[in-house]
Amino acid sequence: MHSIAARLAHLKSHGARLAGHSLKQLIAREPDRAARMALKVDGLYANFARQHVDAEALDALLAVAQASGMGAAIRELLHGASVNRSEGRPALHSALRTAFEAPVASGAAREAHEARQRMADMAQALRASGVTDIINVGIGGSDLGPRLALDALKDFGDGRFTIHFLSNVDAHAATRLLAGLEPAKTAAILVSKSFGTQETLLNGQLIRDWLGGGERLYAVSANVPKAEAFGIDPSRVLPMWDWVGGRYSLWSAVGFSVLLALGEDGFAQMLAGAEAMDRHFLEAPAESNLPLWHALFAVWNRNAEGHAAQAVLPYDERLRLLPAYLQQLVMESLGKRVDHEGAAIEHDTVPVLWGGAGTDSQHSFFQALHQGTQVVPADFIGVIQPDHAHAAQHRVLLSHLLAQVEALANGDEGDRPQRHFPGNRPSTLILLDRLTPRSFGALVALYEHSVYAQSVIWGINAFDQFGVELGKTLAGGLLPVLEGQAHAQDPISAALAAEILARG
């Protein structure tokens, strides 16, 4: 298996071999499967027994990882090599959450440590002020990570601040948000690496005017002069670096709002959980490496079995935003059609990722998961110990979680065609002992490293995102058209703009 094409073709041959064998049959043949295909790391348990593979196919997947140079690739990532080859720089998000002795670039880790100290000092000053509400203004990775973390971990905060998020340039969002706040008790954090993100700056200008100036504006940016020109004192600007992509930046000063809500100790626990997963990813052999296994089954489902979608289904209301967060992490990282050298690839890469929280989603799109013509592999995520006192409700929630995984795998003959469930729908079950800052950090890092391992197998760069640029460029040219100062070059866009102007 000297080439990516040969490795994936080998997996496809195993997929063809297993095509006539249902999951129910595979499980019946392997009585030890539930134990043999389960891994546990730092409070996270993952069971892969309902993935559509047998022992021979699993061995083939592990052989693909080895042939891809996975061990060396993991060391390159965590030691600070230039794994972002198209942009010629490392991807050092692991340096944001590590002790100095860990095997990452020590200079980056030191800078991250210094930034955390500044975050703590600024948080202390805010706590001593009359500010009660914080608005996090950002979009993409500057919004999705902190928003997810605070929704998931809200119960661990002390309630000193109420954190709000503003991302969409649609001013309806800002108008509704500000209607319920008092300017004198509100501060805002503008999060933009370049301090040139259109949506963030427009929302920032609106909030600055509403606040009556920049006195209670903070920024997280690599461009201090631009932030200062905007009216933010440099002492209130926290750093960002080009060696951390936005979708990997939760652990940095981008998480300042998370630190404000959870406190320094809670934020540190979140980083510690992620670091524990970093160490496991680096040190565990392939046969027991949780992020690697997660990646291998993603590759199997995409390339050996040809599934074009992936669902993420958290059975915990606190993780309801996880599918939205993972859409960016997975699809921005793996949505590539060329390899590191710019040559077109001939194999499929990223699936369409979507999902929702159970049990709500059972009454929405689960019909298609069970009886639709497309097979959609799924990650189910549950929490064993709740942080509420309603044990009966939690048992019902977990019973639905286990039932859905079983039903998708085993199906049911039914008494007529409309009641037939074909089953044979693969899934992974991830269980957290409890949802805490530490286990949350480990869970997110698990997905980060799975994405990287998939990119290694597919021979693509997980850390650039040029695909987001074309639409932004075209929008810049169309804005003068909508202002009546220019004509669109594209005939359809010209007609649509004319319709908007005529009706506006």
Side-chain angles (χ1 to χ4, degrees), residues 72-90:
I74 294 171
R75 289 190 294 274
E76 287 179 351
L77 173 71
L78 293 175
H79 287 203
S82 293
V83 292
N84 183 351
R85 297 181 194 172
S86 64
E87 297 178 293
R89 57 193 182 211

Side-chain angles (χ1 to χ4, degrees), residues 31-42:
D32 64 338
R33 187 180 177 98
R36 184 170 50 81
M37 296 186 67
L39 298 174
K40 186 169 184 179
V41 179
D42 203 59

Side-chain angles (χ1 to χ4, degrees), residues 208-219:
R208 182 188 60 195
D209 294 343
W210 177 78
L211 289 173
E215 181 182 351
R216 289 185 304 284
L217 285 181
Y218 295 75

Side-chain angles (χ1 to χ4, degrees), residues 342-429:
I345 56 176
E346 298 181 356
H347 51 271
D348 290 323
T349 58
V350 69
V352 174
L353 189 144
W354 57 286
T359 57
D360 283 352
S361 52
Q362 291 175 200
H363 299 267
S364 173
F365 53 76
F366 267 52
Q367 169 66 39
L369 295 184
H370 284 288
Q371 292 186 310
T373 58
Q374 297 288 318
V375 173
V376 180
D379 281 2
F380 285 84
I381 303 168
V383 178
I384 296 172
Q385 301 173 37
D387 285 295
H388 59 67
H390 307 287
Q393 282 188 257
H394 194 63
R395 285 193 296 271
V396 169
L397 176 69
L398 292 180
S399 73
H400 279 280
L401 167 63
L402 296 179
Q404 292 297 328
V405 176
E406 180 179 321
L408 285 167
N410 296 343
D412 186 77
E413 286 300 319
D415 57 3
R416 51 196 171 110
Q418 292 86 349
R419 292 186 177 274
H420 173 64
F421 291 74
N424 210 33
R425 313 276 166 130
S427 66
T428 292
L429 177 59

Side-chain angles (χ1 to χ4, degrees), residues 96-117:
L96 299 171
R97 58 212 187 195
T98 191
F100 293 150
E101 74 273 9
V104 296
S106 59
R110 186 170 293 104
E111 289 185 58
H113 178 79
E114 292 169 354
R116 286 197 298 275
Q117 186 57 57

Side-chain angles (χ1 to χ4, degrees), residues 21 78 98 108 112 121 135 149 173 181 190 202 204 209 227 248 263 284 297 333-334 339 367-368 404 417 428 436 469:
H21 303 265
L78 293 175
T98 191
D121 293 342
I135 305 174
L181 301 177
L190 277 59
L202 285 170
D209 294 343
Y248 298 93
F297 288 115
S333 298
L334 299 177
D339 64 16
Q367 169 66 39
Q404 292 297 328
T428 292
T436 65
E469 294 180 1

